[in-house]
Amino acid sequence: MPEPIGRIRRLSTTLANQIAAGEVVERPASVLKELLENSLDAGATEISIDVEQGGVRLIRVRDDGRGIHHDDLALALSRHATSKILTLDDLEQVMSLGFRGEALPSIASVSRLVLASRCRGDGGGWQVRAEGVAAEAGPEPLPHPPGTTVEVRDLFFNTPARRKFLRSEKTELGHLQEVVKRIALARFDVSLRLRNEHRGILSLRPAAEEADRGRRLAAICGAGFLEQSLAIHDAGMDLRLAGWIGAPDYSRSQADLQYFFLNGRVVRDKLIGHALRQAYQDLLYHGRHPAYVLYLEMAPALVDVNVHPTKHEVRFREARLVHDFIYRSVARALEAGGAGAQSAALRDAGTTPVPAFPTGGSQPRPGAGKVREAMAHYAALTGVPGGGPPARSGGDAEPPLGHALAQLHGAYLLSQNDAGLVLVDLPAARRQVVHQRLAAGFAGEGVRSQPLLVPVSLPVAADEAEAVESHRDLLTRLGFDLARNGPESVAVHRLPALLRDTDPGALVRAVLAAVAEPSGAADAVLWTMATHSRGDAAAVTLEQMDVLLRDLETQEGQAVRSQRPPWIQLTREELDGLFRR
Ligand code: ADP
Ligand code: MG
């Protein structure tokens, strides 16, 4: 029997809305997210949330935002009605959280919804209702404070199949709380209250002061995270990254404390995840997850957030640049705070690290490094004990190379030890330390490498291109992944992570030349690599200089290639002698 020919018919509005709801409204938490985003878009500073039975029976959000004009109330519940964009140009610049005009009608199509609102300056409030189908009657007046209340009852009452997919009340409540936490971390300036079955479970005051922000962070992520986190503040190439990352020795068994905000909205993006995993690579044991709360800001036109209806995935115009910026900022912060120095310093200084971004304002934060630096300088000048950088490992003994005091012309490091003054040749010291680390990796599992997001193609000499093939294993152990892609051309896929700041072209050519050398011993190649490490970016703060000094000390016993040590000791007697005292 032939199938009857299906005639084309227009979907009913309700069905169209329910189909859209399938995309937007997955569970109570997705309803709450849409409602909270609407409140924030309306400029709310105080939001209170009531939920019952994991949000299935009730989700009510009340805000003190600008409200909805009573003539627009019914319109707000109809599809593709939005006050947020008018033109495609607006879409490029859109900073508000929702803009599709789909949320309210979608939610209304699968619940019993009441929308009540009062515009500022209006005498009273108005409300409309919808039960599965679009609003029946026109708005009715009711008493209401300025702002908006959206009440969503009996979610999925008319779509039982959806309802079956919901988890236990407790699980759904967990999801609801997670939504509130994300908003709370995104907007430190907004007061938030969450009540479950009439009992308050979260109450967050606006956090304008730094101490309040720390308190909010601790309330959401736990005091342990706040204590063991490093603050990040980095800017460059029109990108700004701020926030907190777990110190290397703080990790979690689940990836449950990872918040990344892009221009104020939570994203879970593969590219960003990759950059962060890479920064933590080798620092965490297998199966452990880093913790972070990070805020990235960039021009809205450089990122497309309209990729997915729930807007967790984004598309960057300059993906590689963003990736490398995040990776580098986090890796650097981890390196600098590797011994827990930075978080300890922050506690010492009595400040709580707080990024400037969550409220949109920017304010300079007294840097922890600065405080410690000032204390160290003070101690060096006055001889008052206790002010200088504390010894890293237990024990009171002064480390042989002492503690850093300052840098001279970016080329020398001055350090005070028991004997007097140590003068360190910075580039040489840096080379030696990098060589030592590369050599350790080489002798072990191979030098730790880092993939380039986009491979680079390099013109090289024919014998160098051949070296890529004939010395493949050696190059892999040195941290390179290269592929010959022409008679005189090589594609670079991975580089040693330690040398990530160097010019890949110069580095690869030098290494290929050294490898192609008939007598090319591995150690000579390692020195070539170390020579290419860019020293000027490292050892900027006193803490980083101290790390360098400790690294030099551990190498002392290891008879480094009959090289002259990259430092000299000036004893107090020698110094006195200079002045014939
Ligand atoms: P969108 O947020 O994508 O514009 P919604 O369906 O979520 O679409 O909301 C439709 C419109 O209703 C919004 O554009 C806004 O004008 C209005 N609106 C919704 N919630 C609120 C609120 N809490 N306060 C003020 N206006 C609101
Ligand atoms: Mg919306």
Side-chain angles (χ1 to χ4, degrees):
M1 271 243 313
E3 299 238 321
I5 296 170
R7 298 292 305 274
I8 297 175
R9 274 176 304 159
R10 192 172 278 281
L11 293 175
S12 75
T13 311
T14 304
L15 190 54
N17 285 337
Q18 285 177 344
I19 291 170
E23 261 186 272
V24 184
V25 187
E26 191 191 337
R27 57 173 10 132
S30 24
V31 171
L32 181 59
K33 172 175 175 284
E34 295 291 342
L35 299 184
L36 290 176
E37 291 189 344
N38 279 347
S39 294
L40 294 176
D41 282 346
T45 59
E46 247 188 85
I47 303 178
S48 63
I49 305 150
D50 280 280
V51 299
E52 291 173 20
Q53 274 181 21
V56 175
R57 205 177 124 84
L58 172 73
I59 300 172
R60 186 194 301 119
V61 174
R62 166 165 294 191
D63 68 48
D64 65 345
R66 70 178 71 90
I68 305 174
H69 192 276
H70 56 84
D71 287 342
D72 290 349
L73 278 175
L75 194 60
L77 298 184
S78 65
R79 222 153 121 70
H80 302 307
T82 177
S83 57
K84 295 168 195 170
I85 49 170
L86 285 176
T87 67
L88 201 58
D89 262 6
D90 292 348
L91 198 56
E92 294 256 297
Q93 292 296 331
V94 76
M95 286 293 275
S96 61
L97 296 164
F99 47 79
R100 288 163 171 254
E102 278 184 354
L104 287 183
S106 301
I107 297 165
S109 74
V110 291
S111 69
R112 301 191 165 96
L113 185 146
V114 181
L115 173 62
S117 194
R118 171 172 159 194
C119 287
R120 283 194 198 130
D122 250 9
W126 297 81
Q127 70 173 17
V128 287
R129 300 163 174 278
E131 281 206 10
V133 291
E136 298 123 38
E140 353 167 322
L142 90 163
H144 193 279
T148 302
T149 305
V150 185
E151 194 178 277
V152 176
R153 287 187 182 274
D154 304 327
L155 188 63
F156 300 140
F157 78 97
N158 53 354
T159 51
R162 282 248 135 206
R163 206 170 174 138
K164 278 200 203 106
F165 280 104
L166 294 179
R167 301 303 189 79
S168 72
E169 211 176 297
K170 196 166 149 247
T171 303
E172 296 300 337
L173 178 62
H175 288 297
L176 291 166
Q177 282 177 281
E178 189 60 30
V179 166
V180 178
K181 286 181 181 180
R182 287 179 180 179
I183 299 279
L185 287 173
R187 292 293 301 268
F188 279 79
D189 55 332
V190 173
S191 134
L192 283 163
R193 256 180 324 156
L194 172 61
R195 270 185 306 234
N196 177 42
E197 315 282 349
H198 310 286
R199 274 192 33 244
I201 51 175
L202 197 62
S203 176
L204 300 165
R205 289 180 304 136
E209 300 297 316
E210 294 203 342
D212 294 335
R213 295 176 178 215
R215 216 168 293 139
R216 181 179 278 210
L217 182 73
I220 295 164
C221 301
F225 174 68
L226 178 64
E227 268 165 33
Q228 298 188 62
S229 63
L230 310 168
I232 284 199
H233 256 271
D234 212 349
M237 303 173 295
D238 293 332
L239 302 169
R240 290 200 296 165
L241 185 71
W244 301 270
I245 56 172
D249 44 8
Y250 180 85
S251 65
R252 300 181 68 84
S253 59
Q254 289 176 30
D256 59 349
L257 215 166
Q258 302 186 339
Y259 296 95
F260 198 99
F261 297 87
L262 173 62
N263 290 344
R265 104 180 71 209
V266 159
V267 293
R268 269 199 175 273
D269 183 75
K270 284 204 195 79
L271 179 96
I272 294 168
H274 183 263
L276 279 152
R277 267 199 311 283
Q278 219 173 67
Y280 274 93
Q281 191 190 329
D282 287 5
L283 290 176
L284 300 181
Y285 287 110
H286 184 69
R288 301 292 296 179
H289 300 270
Y292 48 81
V293 178
L294 286 170
Y295 304 85
L296 179 66
E297 289 222 324
M298 62 194 296
L302 295 181
V303 54
D304 187 359
V305 290
N306 199 13
V307 179
H308 191 264
T310 57
K311 291 172 279 241
H312 283 324
E313 295 262 327
V314 293
R315 196 180 297 135
F316 296 104
R317 302 270 150 94
E318 300 276 357
R320 174 163 185 193
L321 197 131
V322 173
H323 175 278
D324 288 359
F325 175 72
I326 296 171
Y327 168 78
R328 216 165 291 160
S329 304
V330 173
R332 241 185 242 143
L334 285 170
E335 221 161 84
Q342 201 175 349
S343 48
L346 286 161
R347 278 197 301 280
D348 293 350
T351 59
T352 309
V354 172
F357 299 145
T359 53
S362 66
Q363 83 232 61
R365 185 176 58 79
K370 289 260 159 46
V371 173
R372 177 163 285 200
E373 225 165 281
M375 279 157 56
H377 279 302
Y378 178 74
L381 289 171
T382 61
V384 175
R392 242 145 231 286
S393 46
D396 302 317
E398 174 86 342
L401 292 180
H403 289 295
L405 299 173
Q407 261 184 39
L408 202 61
H409 298 301
Y412 298 97
L413 185 162
L414 306 184
S415 175
Q416 171 183 316
N417 64 358
D418 279 344
L421 177 74
V422 179
L423 196 57
V424 181
D425 176 347
L426 260 182
R430 162 99 185 150
R431 252 191 326 271
Q432 179 170 316
V433 167
V434 170
H435 170 267
Q436 169 61 26
R437 290 203 197 148
L438 290 171
F442 186 75
E445 308 228 289
V447 174
R448 177 184 158 189
S449 80
Q450 182 201 326
L452 301 181
L453 201 63
V454 180
V456 181
S457 197
L458 281 183
V460 294
D463 58 335
E464 289 168 357
E466 265 152 38
V468 167
E469 290 173 335
S470 51
H471 295 279
R472 173 165 308 283
D473 290 348
L474 174 62
L475 288 167
T476 305
R477 284 207 25 223
L478 290 167
F480 292 90
D481 180 3
L482 310 172
R484 186 176 189 174
N485 60 357
E488 297 189 342
S489 171
V490 163
V492 184
H493 293 280
R494 296 175 76 97
L495 288 178
L498 261 180
L499 304 179
R500 58 177 177 259
D501 283 333
T502 56
D503 166 20
L507 173 66
V508 168
R509 280 195 206 97
V511 165
L512 288 180
V515 167
E517 191 87 350
S519 62
D523 195 52
V525 184
L526 289 171
W527 274 106
T528 303
M529 288 163 65
T531 310
H532 275 79
S533 76
R534 235 188 51 193
D536 51 2
V540 179
T541 67
L542 284 176
E543 280 160 11
Q544 291 167 338
M545 290 187 245
D546 272 354
V547 170
L548 184 65
L549 291 172
R550 301 295 81 80
D551 277 346
L552 285 174
E553 283 161 3
T554 56
Q555 296 184 10
E556 276 312 283
Q558 303 179 12
V560 181
R561 208 206 186 199
S562 70
Q563 292 248 328
R564 260 193 308 140
W567 50 268
I568 51 172
Q569 171 85 59
L570 287 170
T571 63
R572 286 191 222 187
E573 294 72 42
E574 284 169 320
L575 290 168
D576 286 347
L578 290 175
F579 301 98
R580 301 202 184 79
R581 266 196 239 158

